[in-house]
Amino acid sequence: MYTQQKSDTLLHASTMATKASAYFQLLKFRLSLTVAFSSAIGFILGYPNTHWYDILLVMLGGMLVTGSANIINQILEKDLDKLMKRTSKRPLPTGQLSVTEAAVFCVMLGLAGLALLGFYFNALTAALSLLSLVLYGFVYTPLKRMNPICVFVGAIPGGMPPLIGWVAATGAIEIEAIILFGIQFFWQFPHFWAIAWVLDDDYKKAGFKMLPMAGGKNLKTAIQIMIYTLVLIPLSLLPLQFGMTGATSAMVAVVCGVLFLAQTFYLMRTCSKKAAMSIMFGSFLYLPIVQIAFVLDKI
């Protein structure tokens, strides 16, 4: 009797742990943390003398709303995720969680995040976060199978975290917030097109149209990636021009921008997966380094 009870208890604990792990996977924690980090950057730049707990709260609100948007994406693409190697092990395609369970979790996260941002900071922050969630979950997600313009649409919510952070700190959409949005908005294009280049075969299985040019992995696409990367260099000088940061961070941004741009020339020359991977990893480094430089120079 005791042995059976112990076995049932262990089985129940194992089931609960599996469920908890599945819910955590739905969040796409690393992606959500990246978004929360960008929100914190905008918040600190908007309010340099802030308290550490305010920074944590704006990050928490950003993570909750982003997690909710990520779950909408996974619910809508549940059957498509089964087709791709990269996503076939996610909780919904494998049946670890039902769509209903995911939807309830999604609503809870979204409401909690919006309430935190709206009541602790201001209503405009919550409204912008809701707009970002809707654009990502209900516009960008279905567009991925329709038209390459999906990347442009997705770059809008993708660029909004530092703007949302600034608005949380100041209560207003100011030119500084728009500059921060612009840098992250344009960064999205080389970042996502490099990912789409690397994962093109997998994306085709789901019918995703992510690359900008017909034929996909070619010189025309590489030139597009180069152009958007080039735009980042003058954009990254605007914080200095508008007195947001100093010359040191401007130098860091220009050096990072030139190095980032050099990677696109390699792609233009070779049109290879290796070159696209180089841009992809370079993009992961570029944004946090430049943003951290802005914050340190501001402080």
Side-chain angles (χ1 to χ4, degrees), residues 24-40:
F24 184 76
Q25 288 179 56
L26 278 182
L27 289 174
K28 296 186 183 177
F29 180 75
R30 283 183 295 178
L31 173 60
S32 297
L33 183 61
T34 301
V35 171
F37 175 80
S38 291
S39 298

Side-chain angles (χ1 to χ4, degrees), residues 33-103:
L33 183 61
T34 301
V35 171
F37 175 80
S38 291
S39 298
I41 293 294
F43 186 82
I44 295 168
L45 289 172
Y47 185 17
N49 298 316
T50 187
H51 300 291
W52 62 268
Y53 51 82
D54 288 331
I55 298 171
L56 290 181
L57 286 174
V58 80
M59 289 183 70
L60 177 59
M63 285 190 68
L64 291 172
V65 175
T66 304
S68 180
N70 288 336
I71 296 171
I72 294 170
N73 173 270
Q74 291 173 81
I75 289 173
L76 294 179
E77 294 182 348
K78 176 177 69 72
D79 294 329
L80 300 176
D81 281 346
K82 294 178 183 178
L83 305 175
M84 297 183 290
K85 181 179 179 181
R86 184 179 62 92
T87 56
S88 61
K89 301 299 183 184
R90 285 177 175 174
L92 291 177
T94 57
Q96 296 175 64
L97 292 173
S98 68
V99 170
T100 300
E101 289 173 320

Side-chain angles (χ1 to χ4, degrees), residues 227-244:
I227 291 171
Y228 280 90
T229 307
L230 179 62
V231 171
L232 282 173
I233 296 176
L235 266 181
S236 66
L237 292 173
L238 290 179
L240 172 63
Q241 181 68 28
F242 283 83
M244 298 168 60

Side-chain angles (χ1 to χ4, degrees), residues 141-165:
T141 296
L143 267 178
K144 287 161 70 176
R145 299 191 76 207
M146 299 179 189
N147 194 289
I149 200 173
C150 65
V151 175
F152 175 85
V153 174
I156 298 172
M160 286 179 71
L163 181 148
I164 290 170

